[in-house]
Amino acid sequence: MVGRALTKQLEKSGHSVVPISRSVVPNGIQWDLEKMTLDASQLEGVEAVIHLAGSGIAEGRWTAARKKVIRSSRIDSARLLIESIERLKERPKVFISASGVGYYGIKHGEPVDEQAPLGNGFLAEVCRDWEAEAQKAESLGLRVAIARFGVILSPEGGALAKMLPPFKLGLGGPVGSGKQRLGWIALDDAVHALEYLLSTDEAFGPFNLTAPEIVTNSEFASALGNAVGKPAKIPAPAFALKLAFGEMAEETLLADAPIVPARLRDLGFKFAFPKLSPALEHLLAEQND
């Protein structure tokens, strides 16, 4: 979802984009993460590498096998890219890696910016190791920026796409207590923030890619219900979610994540959709076009 939208935006801005994929794609590079193979020569002359790979974290219960996939799809792929870059005669100038606000764990209390310490839990450990691999590009002479994504809102995929069908039927509502806060960002802003990090020489280190407005889960449910013209009063009880999804529910659906984009703001980035309700209206209008 993000990769496709970013490719479209970068090409619109006059860049040539070379996709890296497990399958054969036109004008792309194929990699094999199981065999850890990638033809490094195909990266010669590339100015920047943007690493967005990673299996979905909210696709189901976190079994041992699922955790292994979540980790390897992020950390092994980052390692393969860095090892390939190291073999190049002409290395890229910039390496941008995705990460997540799960880095901070569950943070009750005041809003959390990039100075907050590493949290506890599976996602925090994954983000820590993922970012550590990405930072190795710095020793190779690349500028490294880390994009710690919140919940990316798009009707084409991710959490919003899964929520829309029940909400459109009037079956949506808050999750758990509804008091947990949500770090979210519209897909448009996520893409433009990545482009901004790519083109801004002063951008290095971690950046929270979340909108300035923090909302509770109940406020999110109400805004989405208003956007689709349906009531949003049917809750999803915390105990049922924990029973169905276990650890995954506790670290994602029920987690308190009051994340703010302090470093993006300080760098001068301007959000097109800093408020939730206009963002949802825009995204759903795009879907209907």
Side-chain angles (χ1 to χ4, degrees):
M1 175 179 70
V2 178
R4 291 193 299 272
L6 179 61
T7 295
K8 184 176 180 181
Q9 175 60 34
L10 290 176
E11 289 178 341
K12 182 180 177 181
S13 298
H15 299 283
S16 297
V17 179
V18 180
I20 302 176
S21 173
R22 295 182 182 183
S23 56
V24 177
V25 295
N27 303 314
I29 299 172
Q30 188 176 15
W31 64 359
D32 188 325
L33 295 182
E34 291 184 3
K35 297 179 180 178
M36 290 292 284
T37 57
L38 185 158
D39 183 359
S41 66
Q42 294 182 283
L43 292 173
E44 288 287 357
V46 169
E47 293 185 359
V49 174
I50 304 174
H51 179 223
L52 300 174
S55 184
I57 62 170
E59 302 300 321
R61 181 178 283 271
W62 287 346
T63 62
R66 183 64 193 154
K67 283 185 173 182
K68 183 177 180 180
V69 170
I70 290 171
R71 282 186 58 86
S72 65
S73 63
R74 290 163 169 77
I75 298 163
D76 292 347
S77 57
R79 183 177 300 124
L80 178 56
L81 284 171
I82 300 303
E83 290 175 350
S84 300
I85 290 171
E86 188 174 13
R87 296 197 295 271
L88 298 177
K89 296 178 181 177
E90 183 182 351
R91 293 172 181 166
K93 297 180 178 64
V94 184
F95 188 86
I96 296 177
S97 176
S99 182
V101 296
Y103 176 93
Y104 305 107
I106 300 171
K107 298 290 187 185
H108 300 291
E110 295 299 315
V112 174
D113 64 18
E114 292 87 351
Q115 294 185 12
L118 176 72
N120 298 317
F122 171 67
L123 286 183
E125 293 173 358
V126 169
C127 290
R128 175 198 64 198
D129 296 345
W130 190 5
E131 294 184 16
E133 286 297 330
Q135 288 290 357
K136 291 177 182 178
E138 202 170 68
S139 66
L140 302 178
L142 283 71
R143 174 172 63 84
V144 178
I146 306 292
R148 291 177 180 161
F149 286 106
V151 176
I152 302 171
L153 299 183
S154 169
E156 305 303 321
L160 182 59
K162 292 178 181 178
M163 287 187 281
L164 277 174
F167 270 81
K168 287 181 176 180
L169 294 172
L171 301 176
V175 172
S177 70
K179 295 179 181 178
Q180 69 273 28
R181 291 161 293 179
L182 177 69
W184 63 275
I185 187 170
L187 177 61
D188 306 60
D189 278 332
V191 166
H192 285 110
L194 286 171
E195 186 177 29
Y196 196 77
L197 294 179
L198 180 66
S199 61
T200 304
D201 292 339
E202 295 79 16
F204 58 89
F207 290 85
N208 293 337
L209 265 63
T210 58
E213 181 186 51
I214 299 173
V215 297
T216 65
N217 184 271
S218 289
E219 290 168 340
F220 183 89
S222 178
L224 182 54
N226 288 336
V228 299
K230 296 286 184 178
K233 303 295 185 182
I234 301 177
F239 77 88
L241 293 169
K242 291 179 183 179
L243 186 64
F245 300 112
E247 186 182 4
M248 186 276 280
E250 294 182 15
E251 290 198 31
T252 58
L253 303 172
L254 302 172
D256 193 35
I259 314 299
V260 293
R263 294 198 67 214
L264 269 181
R265 179 196 61 211
D266 293 345
L267 203 62
F269 179 75
K270 303 297 183 184
F271 286 84
F273 301 99
K275 300 288 186 180
L276 178 61
S277 292
L280 289 173
E281 292 172 6
H282 164 73
L283 292 167
L284 297 183
E286 275 194 333
Q287 185 186 38
N288 296 327
D289 287 346

